[in-house]
Amino acid sequence: MHPSALLDLCAELLRAVLKFDAPADGVVSAFFRQHRDLGHRERHALAETVYAVLRRRLLFEHLAKAGSGAPERRLALLGWQGGDGLLRGVLTPQEVDWLDTSRGVDLADLPQPLRHNLPDWLARALKAALGETDFWALAASVAAPAPLDLRVNTLRCKRAEATATLASAGIDATPTPFSPWGLRVQGKPALAKLEVFARGDIEVQDEGSQLLALLTGARRGEMVADFCAGAGGKTLALGAMMRNTGRLYAFDVSGHRLDALKQRLERSGLSNVYPTQIVHERDERIERLAGKIDRVLVDAPCSGLGTLRRNPDLKWRQSPQSIEALRVQQTAILASAARLLKPGGRLVYATCSLLASENETIVEAFNAGQRDFTPFPAAEVLARARIDQAGTLTQGDFLRLWPHRHATDGFFAAIWQRR
């Protein structure tokens, strides 16, 4: 495709994404389905440009005011990820001068919002939680793309074997520092085309997400529930922890997400997983299991703000009002999930949110209303699992992972044991 036409398509895609009426990844996927003639490199350039603009939207919109032409075209030029040589061949002399001037702006002279590129309400909350220095480190971290983390399916192979297999395919994978199952890969290799992926030896899963599964301490022969299973990344990790024994329920309200899990189950070799669609957290299928489950993982629906490196549109699509609505849902889900536990069972509440209002506040309310559950220190669980530097992963009794500190997505987890 001619570079000028590709740039026009990029502006069109940005116009759709910046409406913020749907998740960016879904808008991009739908756009590519409408333009099936685009090659791999062209799709990569368009998608990465969109995400670059989303990460630095406030800055780019400020710089774009000085340019000319359609605003989406100016944003596409500022965020372009398809190579400078291709870009400059289609720009007017005025556009070249404006782009060079924009790239030469000293960010230190700009107002804070143009440097951190976060909405004011979110910046205030994070500064209050982290302090000034740590806040800016976090802002820099979430402005960069995330690496690709993999979980080795220990039912199929060992981590060293998977590392060697990937190396033979030209992919450099290094062990993650905390998860005993994790590998980290730079870039975005085409994993789906590899035999090591097709036969279920590896799955894509952030290291932080792997640690959430590990916190359950799931064992052979137990009854375990993944209460909000989604597409099942943690479900698969739990099944491997259980060595494909016992009974593992994967609950979710979305049949579409559970269908995606079933496809992954076929690769994994697991036969102890029971995907179960529920209507809501008080579904009768859940009530029938009350008091019978050994371990329950509640990866609650949340703002997703811990995943800003992967989903930068979330900071523009969430609001204090949407957070408040989520808190009501999180409280109800946690209370319902707790009823599943048998005496002595373990409950884990987790989110991929950076906000105390979705994390510590929910836990405090649960503790105030429950007499049958005793908080259990996350550091003790991690130490028993022989996780290196376990103390650096916790804050008080909780698991607290930050992108700028741990190179993972942002995660929170609290643990209880039923008396």
Side-chain angles (χ1 to χ4, degrees), residues 211-228:
L211 292 176
L212 296 187
L214 186 144
L215 289 180
T216 65
R219 300 173 182 169
R220 292 174 182 265
E222 291 185 328
M223 291 182 68
V224 178
D226 187 353
F227 203 79
C228 306

Side-chain angles (χ1 to χ4, degrees), residues 300-351:
C302 69
S303 64
L305 292 170
T307 68
L308 288 180
R309 299 180 305 168
R310 307 175 196 279
N311 304 296
D313 59 309
L314 285 174
K315 59 186 175 184
W316 311 119
R317 294 178 56 237
Q318 296 289 8
S319 68
Q321 294 74 30
S322 64
I323 301 300
E324 184 58 34
L326 284 166
R327 285 180 55 192
V328 173
Q329 188 179 13
Q330 290 155 357
T331 299
I333 288 174
L334 179 56
S336 181
R339 291 196 287 270
L340 290 174
L341 268 294
K342 63 170 59 171
R346 181 180 295 180
L347 173 65
V348 178
Y349 170 80
T351 75

